[in-house]
């Protein structure tokens, strides 16, 4: 074999290995792509696996995590069309960390309404809408944030919850004292400033 033939062979092997690596990287990221897809997109992808299975087939797996859908189904679905090109590229560890934070906040929001409103306000400030008509709406909205934003919100929301737990509402006696004090202040103001209209 000549030097040129060796070079050509190595080039073909390298190209094939590169294609395989790209395919493996995509398969590695399929779970992440699935998590960023909306319910209609998931239904469309599931229906593309086999039109003969009907709409009930798509409904069955829309809320199912990617890794729990049978291989006979996932092997027939191409998620490349649903990959968000501007999606944040995360390492496996960073993805798991972000996912854990989002799951934690979603769970706490079900337990604490004030905590939920705090997170909704943060998302609104980032111009992220929460679609409550689909499954796991808060998780999907949180997933539109970057990993650093999710971590920032995670700490801020927990600090907010901690501050709320320290709040002690005033007793009826303290409320009555406050009303009396305010009445005294207003009466003293009337004496000190008789010509000032308060209407």
């Amino acid at each position: 074999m000549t030097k040129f033939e060796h070079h050509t062979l190595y080039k073909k092997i390298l190209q094939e290995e590169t294609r395989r690596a790209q395919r493996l990287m995509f398969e590695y990221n399929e779970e992440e792509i699935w998590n960023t897809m909306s319910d209609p997109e998931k239904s469309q992808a599931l229906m593309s696996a086999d039109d003969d299975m009907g709409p009930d087939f798509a409904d069955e797996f829309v809320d199912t995590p990617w890794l729990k859908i049978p291989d006979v189904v996932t092997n027939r679905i191409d998620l490349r069309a649903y990959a968000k090109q501007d999606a944040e590229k995360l390492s496996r560890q960073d993805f798991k960390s972000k996912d854990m934070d989002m799951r934690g906040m979603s769970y706490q929001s079900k337990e604490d309404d004030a905590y939920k409103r705090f997170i909704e306000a943060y998302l609104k400030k980032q111009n992220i809408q929460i679609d409550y008509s689909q499954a796991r709406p808060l998780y999907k909205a949180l997933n539109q944030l970057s990993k650093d934003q999710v971590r920032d919100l995670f700490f801020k929301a927990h600090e907010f919850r901690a501050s709320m737990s320290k709040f002690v509402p005033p007793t009826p006696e303290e409320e009555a004292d406050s009303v009396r004090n305010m009445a005294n202040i207003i009466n003293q103001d009337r004496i000190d400033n008789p010509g000032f209209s308060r209407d």
Side-chain angles (χ1 to χ4, degrees), residues 11-171:
K11 185 177 179 182
K12 286 181 180 178
I13 291 172
L14 179 61
Q15 287 173 338
E16 181 60 28
E17 289 300 320
T18 301
R19 278 193 292 270
R20 286 183 187 177
Q22 288 172 338
R23 180 61 190 168
L24 283 171
M25 284 301 294
F26 175 75
E27 289 174 356
Y28 183 76
N29 291 325
E30 281 181 331
E31 182 185 9
E32 184 178 350
I33 294 170
W34 183 254
N35 288 338
T36 63
M37 289 166 61
S38 66
D39 286 352
E41 286 176 330
K42 289 179 180 178
S43 293
Q44 183 182 32
L46 288 164
M47 288 295 294
S48 71
D50 195 333
D51 293 335
D52 295 333
M53 293 185 181
D56 291 340
F57 165 75
D59 293 339
E60 182 181 351
F61 293 113
V62 165
D63 295 331
T64 305
W66 180 253
L67 297 178
K68 292 187 178 180
I69 300 174
D71 289 346
V72 69
V73 176
T74 58
N75 288 343
R76 303 177 73 175
I77 298 176
D78 186 354
L79 294 184
R80 283 175 292 186
Y82 302 97
K84 308 294 188 289
Q85 295 303 316
D86 57 347
E88 185 180 28
K89 302 300 180 188
L90 299 175
S91 67
R92 183 80 173 166
Q93 183 178 352
D94 285 343
F95 173 75
K96 289 293 183 186
S97 174
K98 179 181 177 182
D99 182 67
M100 192 179 300
D101 287 345
M102 293 188 301
R103 287 177 188 273
M105 287 188 282
S106 298
Y107 175 78
Q108 292 296 335
S109 293
K110 294 175 184 175
E111 303 290 317
D112 188 331
D113 193 54
Y115 182 92
K116 177 183 177 183
R117 289 198 303 271
F118 181 89
I119 290 175
E120 288 174 335
Y122 185 99
L123 290 169
K124 186 176 181 181
K125 197 172 181 181
Q126 302 296 326
N127 296 317
I128 295 175
Q129 301 294 322
I130 306 172
D131 184 0
Y132 283 107
S133 67
Q134 55 181 345
R136 304 170 72 205
L138 199 58
Y139 178 92
K140 289 177 180 175
L142 288 168
N143 203 32
Q144 296 178 51
L145 297 171
S146 70
K147 178 184 74 72
D148 291 337
Q149 286 176 315
V150 168
R151 185 104 281 235
D152 175 59
L153 175 56
F154 180 84
F155 285 121
K156 284 180 177 174
H158 279 71
E159 284 174 7
F160 169 77
R161 191 170 183 223
S163 69
M164 290 296 289
S165 67
K166 295 173 186 173
F167 173 74
V168 179
T171 64

